[in-house]
Amino acid sequence: MVARKYADNSRMIRILSQMSERCLELLCLPDDQEPRFLLDIGCGSGLSGSGLTEEGHVWVGLDISPFMLKVALEREMEGASVPARTGQRDDLPPWLIRRRQ
């Protein structure tokens, strides 16, 4: 299975870890040590979410590939994985979507 090979590749793990760290830097979150609720769009096998969890954040992963999400679930990621198709907001759980009043 290609998704499993991707998730087990040490080079990919290193790259995604670095990308996750950089994404957190670019978010410019307050330095108050409070955990944030983050949406990881294109979470794949959840490798980037591992870094979010290590930093104390709560996250939900969204990906187009059910195979990658299956790998994330098999890895027992602490974030929630939501299967979705490109542009399909309807696939998100209701508790994740806040509608403006």
Side-chain angles (χ1 to χ4, degrees):
M1 174 196 247
V2 174
R4 170 57 59 199
K5 288 181 182 179
Y6 176 89
D8 291 339
N9 183 301
S10 61
R11 181 171 180 263
M12 289 306 303
I13 292 169
R14 186 176 61 256
I15 290 169
L16 288 170
S17 175
Q18 292 169 347
M19 287 175 57
S20 180
E21 288 175 20
R22 182 64 180 138
C23 286
L24 281 173
E25 289 173 10
L26 292 172
L27 284 173
C28 298
L29 297 174
D31 195 19
D32 58 8
Q33 304 302 315
E34 289 291 321
R36 305 292 180 212
F37 185 72
L38 304 170
L39 174 61
D40 185 357
I41 298 174
C43 69
S45 64
L47 291 172
S48 56
S50 297
L52 300 176
T53 301
E54 287 173 10
E55 292 293 322
H57 301 295
V58 178
W59 62 280
V60 170
L62 180 68
D63 201 281
I64 192 171
S65 170
F67 302 108
M68 294 299 270
L69 291 173
K70 182 177 183 235
V71 171
L73 292 171
E74 289 171 355
R75 295 179 66 232
E76 297 181 358
M77 300 304 305
E78 293 185 32
S81 297
V82 181
R85 294 178 300 277
T86 303
Q88 295 293 322
R89 185 179 119 165
D90 296 339
D91 290 334
L92 295 174
W95 54 265
L96 182 61
I97 302 169
R98 287 191 187 165
R99 296 183 189 268
R100 289 188 178 186
Q101 302 291 335

